[in-house]
Amino acid sequence: MNNRYGTLASWVYNLDKPVGRSFGDIEYYRERLSNCAGPVLEPAVGNGRLFVPMLEAGLDIRGFDPSEEMLGYCRRACAERSLDDGRVSGGTFEGFVYQQRFAAIVVPLGSFQLITDMAVAKAVLRRFFDHLAPGGRLMIDLDAIGGFLGEGGRVRSWTTEGGDLLTLTDTRVSTDFIAQTTVTHLRYELWQDTKLVDTELELFSLRWWGVEEFAMVLREAGFVDVVASGDYRYGQAPAKGCETTSFEARRPE
């Protein structure tokens, strides 16, 4: 199964991107949501890297994720801080349902690019639209296209609290320039005393978007007032060299 985030993958993610680690997005969204008058939803909430700081800032935020392993980290992080760990639940982009409507939906750090099929992506944007209150805002971060074009082959490692070694090797399997997708083998390995004791292999698929392309798809889904910002500087158009484009759009009143 592609993009599953199993036990080792979730462990590595939590070590590499712990709760509170910011890429500029935590400060950015804390400011953008500072006057938010209603509940906020974070799809693909993961380990709570952004979710927990937003909850600590006093936002009425909910979240969902398809990976129970990732949700386990998020719930523990909430419990350790005496925060409500019942605000997150299992769910997928394609199937999530809430009875309430949200003042904002936030999808940080390129998580939307896990949706590789154009038709599915459009349907998810429409689902976001339907879950926003009139006047509600959708905020989505996308990674720059340049990050998709390398060959991979990196080996990274982390030392666990118990002194074991976790490694991640990524190998690009395919790049489809027509479908605008990449598939990468991610091999996770757990080593104890120089011996391999566990391993996971995941097929990690992503889709890249052009800036104008994504703006048009947002408008097609019914959104207005679409703003694309480069590297978390609201209103400053993305330029060559920007690593992240943050889109903000509104459901009409």
Side-chain angles (χ1 to χ4, degrees), residues 42-51 62-65 71 74 88-89:
E42 184 187 352
V45 69
N47 68 333
R49 181 194 65 86
L50 181 134
F51 177 88
R62 305 285 190 279
F64 67 83
D65 199 278
L71 286 174
C74 185
V88 293
S89 58

Side-chain angles (χ1 to χ4, degrees), residues 140-163:
I140 294 180
D141 293 347
L142 298 183
D143 293 330
I145 294 174
F148 289 77
L149 303 182
E151 294 300 320
R154 297 182 305 163
V155 179
R156 303 174 63 197
S157 63
W158 297 262
T159 301
T160 71
E161 290 184 358

Side-chain angles (χ1 to χ4, degrees), residues 19 47-48 52 56 72-83:
V19 167
N47 68 333
V52 172
E56 289 180 311
Y73 286 109
C74 185
R75 291 182 178 118
R76 283 195 290 276
C78 289
E80 288 168 358
R81 294 162 175 79
S82 299
L83 301 170

